[in-house]
Amino acid sequence: MKQSKLINRIFVGLFLVFLCVMAVLFLVLPKAEYSTVERRRLEDAPKITWAGIRDASYMDDLEAYLLDHFPFREQLRSLKAFFAYDVLGQKENNDIYVVDGHAAKLEYPMSESSILKAADKMKALQEKYFPDAKVYYAVVPDKNYFLAEANGYPSLDYEKLETLMQEKLTDMEYISIWDTLTIEDYYTTDTHWRQERIGKTVERLAEQMGFSEYVMTEFEQKEIKDFYGVYYGQSALPLPSESMYYLTNDVIEQATQFNVETNQTKPVYELDLLEDETLMDKYNIYLGGAVAIQTITSPLAEREGRLIIFRDSFTSSLAPLLLNAYSEIILIDTRYVSSGFLGNYVDFTDAEVLFLYNPLVLNNSTMLK
Amino acid sequence: MLFSSITFLYFFLPVVLLLYGVVPKQAKNFILCIASCLFYAWGEPIYLFLMLIQIVIAYGLTQIMEKKRDTKAGKVIFILAVLIPFASLFFFKYFSFLFRELLGIAGSSMKTLVVDVPFLGKLDLLNIVLPVGISFYTFQLVSYIVDVWRGETAAQKSLLKLATYITMFPQLIAGPIVRYKGTDKALDDRETHVKDYADGIVRFAIGLGKKVLIANTLGDFVQEISGMSGNSIALAWAYALAVTMQIYFDFSGYSDMAIGLGAMLGFTFPENFNYPLISGSLTEFWRRWHMTLGSWFRDYVYIPLGGNRVGIVKWIRNILIVWMLTGIWHGAGWNFVVWGLFFGVLLMVEKLGAGIHENKDDLTQKKSFASVLWKGIMCCGRHVYVLVAVLISFLIFNGMTMEESWQDIQNLVCAPIWMDELSVYMLRNRAGILLVAIVGATPLPKRLWEKLTLRFGTEAMCEVDSKTVTMSMIVFRMIQIIMVAILLLLCTAYLVDGSFNPFLYFRF
């Protein structure tokens, strides 16, 4: 009897000790300010206020704080991912799936109305700001284009997407770049393409926009180690890091970018960001990451010309490769600035215009202001 | 506070269990009551006072009622004592719904009607927020008052003990509906045996796993396909199955956690679910599903109305009243009324046809091949009928409107194709959790566990008079410990990774 009681006591004791140890660890372990793998600022400890207690928002904030700083958080997230993938046999975790070492985020179903709205917004910009300019548009294939359908995952109907855009944007010239890329041209843990592997895409753009003879071919390729893309954190799977490279030469190094929001001029590659411990995404070294409006000036460009690109983050790594063909490139991201105010900041005269969006933006076009 | 929250699991629970364990017996009710009030106030501080006021009123009125039971005044007090909790339930749960419906009939399109209420502040009469758990604690209060009135139990002399009974955090916000009659002795004097404590931990961990690992994951699946169930017939059925399983694992998981926590605190709570989805009839289903609610309606509504010892017309009336009330207990909406009546009608049909079934059972006594085959077919047919009826019922239950529910039901047979590529992906992606849910909804895992328990003699080990403990017994208990640890870690991992964590039954 004593022995059986002892075993049960050990059981109860272990249970209580486990709960208490986790609680104590939470209290004593240092709290991180940022989660680099998830690329977000973690919750701060909520302040106790009467209003917060009365409407229970304090309790919600406290739970969020506990979840964000729970001991062994990353290991627990990996455990969940392992259980979902390997035990329950899910084909994705948090909408991230992995095929042949490439992580991608599911995007479906296709919203035709969103794509048509995106096209309408592009058309409205053309009519308002640059009705007489030469306007081009291209769709950057996302990783699902290469991975989803071929591996049994739901995907967008890319042909339909292309057709919808073409039917709407009759006054713009379409540049198809789908066949200039393969899945190997993308980071395995990130949504973006690799700058060192988009030469064919640049050539295709140059061919149709008429700057083939100014395409740069000689670069020095510099390595940045231990790059973990956005899907690494979201998937919570033990994916390996990879190296990212940036291409540079005299033309790029002499060029500068001016950020309209901060009024600051910086080099094209913001390598000083790598020294910043709070840097969430190393991809931000390309033109400083998400910026509403920025102007790149290229004093060594072989051709005088202005190009305005309405863009998403893919263009950050593409634009530097065009700096020999245009002495000024203006990048506009209408996810961060309202289209209605653009006239106050951007001179559209004598400029060519390129719309360059990936399908994830087009399929969620409410983010375009 | 949610059981499946970090706040509860790693802060509230260990502190309460340790405090509760170290204080003397006389102080246990006090600790439990204070902890329960904190638990309730954590989510809805204002409504804690509503509950406490009702407890104080019920306490006062039952003291008087008990003394004046055989007088007219006693009857008036009894009616008043019962009306107060029901009026509160009606106001917070049904008033907005009825008001909106009346305004709709009158042709008004008013969406809000804000008034100032002392203590509560501004109150929108058309969108009154439902206090968490009000349906559960109202039914507990009423059962206590009625039992005292009937003389089946004595009125509780201690306000603290009554408050402890009503507010007890394991069962406060989602049941099971614990009757005072079965708890009164434990409120006065209880002991927690270490075996019960250990078993309570296992039960709690299983419930947590059912809620976090199965119900929440099925909830993700339901959300994923909620707009797509019209894509294919296969997806429409998968949706119905996932909705049903989600509700079952959510609710039964909560009940398991409550029973487990009750055991840790020295209480024996009634079982609430007994594998309802294996039932061979809807009558059996309701004997296995939310058993404490079913027995409450039986004892406090159906039998007082005359039960089945009346003429057929009155019996039909009684059935319809009980099932309409069961429906609207679950929520203020027409879909809940239809849901209740759906079961009411089918149960009536079953009961009326019971005699015919009995005759068929007699035929099978001959044990000819044909009769055995017929019995087999009938048995399968009965299970299929129950499952289809239950799946349809939960589509009614789950819809935001009757139109939405009707569309989901139509999709089961009218979706344009049997299966498309998207459906294949969706089903493959969630096949694992669906399989776990289907197996988990049957007694198979429990039977396997019982066989293993017998094989290794662990049960014997846990008996008080057990004298020998073998190595296999120790290993078996260690396996239990490891399983509980794995479940806790996995549940924590799911909580840390995701934010999808609503308890479905909170809105009741």
Side-chain angles (χ1 to χ4, degrees), chain B residues 87-124:
Chain B
S88 165
L89 179 66
F90 172 81
F91 178 73
F92 284 101
K93 191 162 183 173
Y94 305 106
F95 182 80
S96 290
F97 168 69
L98 287 175
F99 202 2
R100 281 198 307 269
E101 291 298 310
L102 288 172
L103 286 172
I105 291 167
S108 168
S109 57
M110 197 187 290
K111 299 284 181 210
T112 57
L113 182 59
V114 180
V115 293
D116 269 319
V117 178
F119 304 112
L120 291 176
K122 291 196 184 304
L123 189 70
D124 182 355

Side-chain angles (χ1 to χ4, degrees), chain B residues 436-505:
Chain B
V436 168
I438 289 167
V439 174
T442 70
L444 289 176
K446 191 184 173 191
R447 280 181 195 158
L448 181 67
W449 182 254
E450 283 167 353
K451 275 191 180 174
L452 286 171
T453 308
L454 282 174
R455 168 78 179 77
F456 293 105
T458 309
E459 203 59 43
M461 177 194 77
C462 297
E463 292 299 325
V464 178
D465 59 354
S466 164
K467 286 183 181 155
T468 54
V469 178
T470 66
M471 185 52 74
S472 66
M473 293 173 185
I474 294 170
V475 169
F476 195 73
R477 200 54 157 175
M478 289 306 292
I479 290 170
Q480 265 192 327
I481 295 171
I482 291 165
M483 281 172 62
V484 167
I486 289 172
L487 270 174
L488 271 176
L489 277 173
L490 271 175
C491 291
T492 308
Y494 265 71
L495 293 177
V496 165
D497 190 64
S499 57
F500 183 81
N501 190 31
F503 261 120
L504 299 179
Y505 263 71

Side-chain angles (χ1 to χ4, degrees), chain B residues 5-302:
Chain B
S5 67
I6 297 294
T7 314
F8 177 82
L9 282 174
Y10 292 100
F11 293 91
F12 180 87
L13 186 59
V15 169
V16 170
L17 288 178
L18 288 175
L19 257 181
Y20 188 82
V22 297
V23 296
K25 260 187 184 180
Q26 299 85 335
K28 286 194 190 299
N29 282 338
F30 177 74
I31 292 292
L32 185 52
C33 187
I34 295 294
S36 299
C37 289
L38 176 66
F39 175 86
Y40 190 82
W42 199 255
E44 303 205 327
I46 297 295
Y47 289 135
L48 172 66
F49 298 103
L50 175 75
M51 180 171 64
L52 292 178
I53 288 166
Q54 289 194 61
I55 292 168
V56 171
I57 293 171
Y59 171 78
L61 291 179
T62 48
Q63 302 302 315
I64 305 166
M65 192 178 79
E66 194 176 41
K67 285 173 192 157
K68 302 191 172 185
R69 182 177 291 127
D70 301 323
T71 65
K72 272 191 178 175
K75 197 169 185 178
V76 171
I77 289 166
F78 165 66
I79 291 168
L80 189 67
V82 170
L83 273 182
I84 288 170
F86 275 140
S88 165
L89 179 66
F90 172 81
F91 178 73
F92 284 101
K93 191 162 183 173
Y94 305 106
F95 182 80
S96 290
F97 168 69
L98 287 175
F99 202 2
R100 281 198 307 269
E101 291 298 310
L102 288 172
L103 286 172
I105 291 167
S108 168
S109 57
M110 197 187 290
K111 299 284 181 210
T112 57
L113 182 59
V114 180
V115 293
D116 269 319
V117 178
F119 304 112
L120 291 176
K122 291 196 184 304
L123 189 70
D124 182 355
L125 290 176
L126 293 181
N127 300 286
I128 296 169
V129 176
L130 181 70
V132 163
I134 189 169
S135 305
F136 288 96
Y137 74 69
T138 298
F139 272 37
Q140 293 200 170
L141 268 175
V142 170
S143 78
Y144 164 68
I145 294 162
V146 173
D147 288 352
V148 172
W149 170 249
R150 286 174 175 170
E152 291 175 10
T153 187
Q156 177 56 260
K157 303 297 174 207
S158 159
L159 178 60
L160 174 66
K161 284 179 186 169
L162 182 64
T164 305
Y165 157 66
I166 296 294
T167 62
M168 210 186 305
F169 75 86
Q171 47 78 47
L172 173 60
I173 50 180
I177 297 168
V178 178
R179 304 275 188 91
Y180 176 75
K181 249 190 296 183
T183 320
D184 50 354
K185 283 190 183 117
L187 283 167
D188 291 336
D189 183 30
R190 60 186 175 275
E191 264 188 48
T192 309
H193 298 289
V194 68
K195 176 192 176 293
D196 295 337
Y197 206 124
D199 288 345
I201 291 170
V202 174
R203 189 71 184 263
F204 176 78
I206 289 170
L208 188 67
K210 281 163 91 171
K211 160 67 186 157
V212 177
L213 304 181
I214 302 180
N216 283 2
T217 308
L218 286 169
D220 288 342
F221 182 45
V222 167
Q223 274 200 334
E224 276 167 22
I225 61 173
S226 62
M228 305 178 195
S229 66
N231 279 27
S232 69
I233 288 173
L235 210 55
W237 281 96
Y239 179 69
L241 181 68
V243 165
T244 304
M245 290 292 187
Q246 185 200 0
I247 293 169
Y248 168 66
F249 279 100
D250 193 281
F251 197 13
S252 72
Y254 195 96
S255 293
D256 285 339
M257 285 188 271
I259 291 166
L261 287 169
M264 290 185 227
L265 298 169
F267 292 91
T268 305
F269 291 159
E271 291 295 332
N272 216 15
F273 289 86
N274 184 23
Y275 305 102
L277 297 171
I278 62 160
S279 303
S281 68
L282 289 177
T283 309
E284 186 186 350
F285 175 82
W286 274 101
R287 278 194 211 117
R288 291 168 174 269
W289 177 279
H290 204 172
M291 293 144 74
T292 56
L293 180 72
S295 63
W296 194 98
F297 274 112
R298 182 195 63 214
D299 295 347
Y300 297 107
V301 182
Y302 185 64

